Amino acid sequence: MKSVWKVALGGLLLTVFSAAHAEQPLGCVEVTVGGYKAPNYDCLSQQMGNNPDGAAAAQKNQEAMNVPINKRPPNQVGLATPAATSTRMGNTFGTSVKPQRPPN
């Protein structure tokens, strides 16, 4: 009777270990067809999606995009900058209130 239990227990352990081994993801396979390598994009996307630092990086990117209005450069807020005014006024910048116009 003990040998039957040992065989049953051994079979059960073998099944559990083989199932646990099968659940582990296999490495990404690259296939070469006619000299062109085609990687397995599903495997690569899964590897990139399981990155624990990915969520932190996405949060830092979102925070960087949400710059307070008082810290944005003037051209992003719609204010005139000296460079833009100089371009608009031409050679009359600082000497006249009328912008430079090309001759007719």
Side-chain angles (χ1 to χ4, degrees):
M1 187 73 172
K2 286 186 177 183
S3 63
V4 173
W5 281 104
K6 287 181 182 179
V7 170
L9 183 62
L12 180 64
L13 286 175
L14 182 61
T15 332
V16 169
F17 284 129
S18 65
H21 187 276
E23 289 178 12
Q24 293 177 350
L26 299 173
C28 295
V29 178
E30 289 187 0
V31 179
T32 305
V33 177
Y36 174 74
K37 288 186 177 182
N40 185 353
Y41 290 110
D42 292 333
C43 179
L44 294 174
S45 339
Q46 183 181 11
Q47 287 180 352
M48 290 175 59
N50 293 334
N51 185 1
D53 297 331
Q59 183 179 5
K60 286 182 181 179
N61 287 343
Q62 189 65 27
E63 289 174 2
M65 291 176 63
N66 293 332
V67 178
I69 192 87
N70 61 344
K71 294 191 178 183
R72 291 186 186 177
N75 58 351
Q76 287 185 357
V77 185
L79 299 175
T81 61
T85 307
S86 173
T87 301
R88 182 174 56 87
M89 295 296 288
N91 63 1
T92 62
F93 183 60
T95 59
S96 175
V97 294
K98 295 181 182 178
Q100 176 189 12
R101 299 281 184 237
N104 293 343

